Amino acid sequence: MSTNDHDYDAIIIGAGVIGSAIALEMSRRGHRTLIIDKTHAAGAGSTGNSCAIVRFSYSTSPGVTLSWEGAQYWTDWADYIGAEDELGLIEFHQCGQLLLASKDGHHVDRVVSLWDELDIPYERWDLEQLQEKLPYLDVGLYGPPTRPEDDAFWREATDSFSHAYFTGDAGYVSDPQLSCHNLQRGAEAEGATFWFNTEVTSIDQADGRASGVTLADGRSISAPVVVNVAGPHSAIINKMAGVYDSMNIKTAALRHEVHHIPAPEGLDFMANGVVGADDDIGIYFRPEVGNNVLIGSVDADCDPHEIVDPDNYDQTLDEDQWQTQVLRANRRIPSLGGVPHEKKGIVDLYDVSDDWIPIYDRSDLDGFYMAIGTSGNQYKNAGVAGQVMAELIEAVEAGHDHEAEPLQVTGRYTGRTIDVGFYSRNRAINPDSSMSVHG
Ligand SMILES: Cc1cc2nc3c(=O)[nH]c(=O)nc-3n(C[C@H](O)[C@H](O)[C@H](O)COP(=O)(O)OP(=O)(O)OC[C@H]3O[C@@H](n4cnc5c(N)ncnc54)[C@H](O)[C@@H]3O)c2cc1C
């Protein structure tokens, strides 16, 4: 792949957490890598507003395997980055994840049977243990999720949880943008080049394959490999390359709100809080700096699913969504004490795929690859996505027929097999997907 006929060996579009991890992996393998982003800094796109939860509650076996491998990067971060960063390195807060079952419980049962099968460590807490370990939680069952305009939202609990599950290896990264800066410094130490404030406007082609990109200022940069890691802009880049229509799975920008409220008085949530996944009332939560509680929606059917233009959408917090999510959190943690007057939180975009599973694949255009459709749940997998994409690119460029014989990658930390074919752009919609996220 290395030839001096081109400006670079590979061009990566997008310096979010996934693009920056691919840049680190590619440059570490000796490929002259250029990463281009239209914002001013690594992670200034959707990654910067990520909840950055690292957990293993996936409803497919490949999903659990990938997240377990992905988590190991966060515990080994300094060695994996392998370079100094003047801004410091991120901290991975391994506070554990509590998984609360909804009344029908099917999703959680499926997840836990996968944990058994794949040997993921967890504890099963009965009701008494749950109350003893997290006394601030209301253990009532209220589901299925509803919204305040529905009378059912206000009804008393119909029952209590009989048990819950806790994975102590889960947690969160408190500064997702800093993780991208760390990856940038790691990649630069291996020779990668980052260009910011630079927009790709077309994908160049020659002899029936990708040959580079053209920028908004008119310059053309050549490379035999171009990788679309443009997050919520992924569909726009795929259309530029002419590969969008032929893909079975499509991606789109989905608007998403996350809210922050002060933790209950007297509760040190930073020290004692956990990541929570609550399909019963339809939220996930975690500690947030400043002793706040961060609240996201699991995108239950009753919640808005707004596909937007990623360059033109409402970035102000919506009063209804704020009330809904904060009231739900109050249900589960009654000592939160109501809805604060001042709305706090973020609005950003998921690059959602048709089945909420990412696409890590080549395309119909030789030399053009994609790591997209991360659907609000792939921050945790950035490191392993870097390895998967680098191995895929190397194999396909060396002549491997990935369509006929899907590439199998061995996770560098766990030694487990990752079937890259699972992430194909041409898969059928996966019926086992939960079509939702716990962060
Ligand atoms: C609110 C929210 C909460 C989330 N919570 C979690 C969580 O708890 N756990 C988890 O695992 N995942 C979570 N995710 C998902 C996770 O953050 C994403 O999967 C991940 O950050 C995607 O990274 P990326 O590098 O693909 O995309 P991005 O960070 O969006 O980067 C794409 C980059 O491409 C650039 N770009 C686009 N078009 C062009 C162009 N034409 N030219 C040049 N540059 C371009 C953009 O400027 C951007 O910087 C969440 C996401 C959101 C939005």
Side-chain angles (χ1 to χ4, degrees):
M1 231 173 89
S2 222
T3 143
N4 287 325
D5 298 347
H6 301 281
D7 297 325
Y8 291 91
D9 298 331
I11 295 173
I12 295 170
I13 305 169
V17 74
I18 309 274
S20 301
I22 299 171
L24 172 55
E25 193 77 32
M26 290 291 285
S27 49
R28 196 163 269 170
R29 288 161 183 256
H31 306 296
R32 295 174 306 138
T33 304
L34 170 67
I35 182 162
I36 299 175
D37 202 292
K38 62 181 179 178
T39 66
H40 64 284
S46 74
T47 298
N49 279 327
S50 180
C51 302
I53 292 170
V54 176
R55 45 96 195 167
F56 322 110
S57 49
Y58 283 84
S59 54
T60 65
S61 174
V64 174
T65 301
L66 198 71
S67 65
W68 184 240
E69 172 70 21
Q72 314 308 316
Y73 283 80
W74 301 109
T75 50
D76 188 41
W77 193 249
D79 281 349
Y80 163 59
I81 295 295
E84 296 285 314
D85 186 330
E86 71 283 6
L87 300 182
L89 295 180
I90 54 96
E91 278 177 45
F92 176 33
H93 303 277
Q94 249 172 326
C95 58
Q97 185 212 27
L98 179 76
L99 184 58
L100 292 165
S102 57
K103 196 146 203 175
D104 70 23
H106 299 319
H107 174 59
V108 169
D109 289 349
R110 187 171 166 73
V111 168
V112 174
S113 70
L114 289 168
W115 287 349
D116 286 332
E117 208 176 287
L118 296 164
D119 217 9
I120 308 298
Y122 70 88
E123 295 169 26
R124 183 185 190 280
W125 292 351
D126 61 23
L127 181 59
E128 222 168 81
Q129 285 170 303
L130 178 60
Q131 286 173 312
E132 186 198 322
K133 287 177 193 284
L134 303 174
Y136 52 85
L137 284 191
D138 177 321
V139 295
L141 276 167
Y142 298 95
T146 49
R147 297 179 67 81
E149 56 271 24
D150 185 339
D151 287 346
F153 187 90
W154 303 100
R155 73 180 165 210
E156 296 298 308
T158 51
D159 204 344
S160 299
F161 291 110
S162 59
H163 61 276
Y165 297 95
F166 183 73
T167 41
D169 294 290
Y172 65 96
V173 174
S174 57
D175 190 341
Q177 188 167 358
L178 179 60
S179 63
C180 299
H181 195 265
N182 294 165
L183 288 162
Q184 178 189 345
R185 288 292 182 255
E188 284 170 339
E190 304 284 356
T193 304
F194 282 68
W195 287 355
F196 295 111
N197 300 310
T198 306
E199 184 174 356
V200 170
T201 50
S202 74
I203 309 299
D204 300 335
Q205 302 184 26
D207 303 324
R209 58 171 292 139
S211 61
V213 298
T214 296
L215 307 176
D217 63 12
R219 279 179 298 162
S220 287
I221 317 295
S222 65
V225 166
V226 176
V227 193
N228 175 3
V229 204
H233 291 81
S234 70
I236 296 171
I237 301 288
N238 276 347
K239 285 176 188 166
M240 285 181 195
V243 301
Y244 177 85
D245 289 333
S246 66
M247 292 164 50
N248 202 39
I249 300 286
K250 306 281 196 246
T251 55
L254 181 77
R255 188 180 177 283
H256 194 82
E257 292 197 15
V258 172
H259 304 124
H260 303 162
I261 57 173
E265 226 171 287
L267 174 63
D268 185 348
F269 203 59
M270 294 304 289
N272 304 315
V274 294
V275 170
D278 186 345
D279 289 328
D280 179 58
I281 51 171
I283 57 167
Y284 62 84
F285 55 87
R286 72 156 170 84
E288 170 64 359
V289 281
N291 204 31
N292 283 305
V293 181
L294 172 156
I295 311 155
S297 153
V298 302
D299 292 287
D301 290 344
C302 60
D303 281 354
H305 292 87
E306 209 186 328
I307 298 293
V308 297
D309 172 352
D311 293 312
N312 181 21
Y313 66 98
D314 185 356
Q315 298 190 36
T316 53
L317 293 171
D318 176 70
E319 182 64 29
D320 280 353
Q321 196 58 16
W322 160 256
Q323 291 280 340
T324 303
Q325 289 187 184
V326 177
L327 284 168
R328 284 175 178 162
N330 271 270
R331 263 258 131 110
R332 193 55 75 214
I333 309 178
S335 50
L336 281 169
V339 183
H341 289 304
E342 198 193 339
K343 294 199 279 285
K344 277 199 179 150
I346 61 90
V347 182
D348 216 306
L349 302 173
Y350 289 174
D351 180 36
V352 73
S353 76
D354 291 337
D355 59 6
W356 292 66
I357 291 172
I359 301 173
Y360 296 130
D361 202 358
R362 55 164 298 158
S363 71
D364 285 359
L365 175 65
D366 286 345
F368 186 76
Y369 296 81
M370 59 188 89
I372 63 170
T374 60
S375 308
N377 70 88
Q378 291 293 301
Y379 175 85
K380 62 183 73 61
N381 290 338
V384 59
Q387 185 195 354
V388 162
M389 289 306 295
E391 291 201 17
L392 177 71
I393 292 165
E394 286 180 341
V396 172
E397 292 304 307
H400 178 75
D401 185 349
H402 178 57
E403 317 285 11
E405 202 186 321
L407 186 74
Q408 308 293 304
V409 166
T410 304
R412 80 158 45 93
Y413 289 99
T414 64
R416 298 184 185 204
T417 301
I418 297 155
D419 174 7
V420 186
F422 181 80
Y423 300 99
S424 165
R425 70 200 183 283
N426 287 329
R427 64 182 179 251
I429 288 183
N430 192 313
D432 290 334
S433 171
S434 65
M435 311 281 182
S436 66
V437 294
H438 295 156

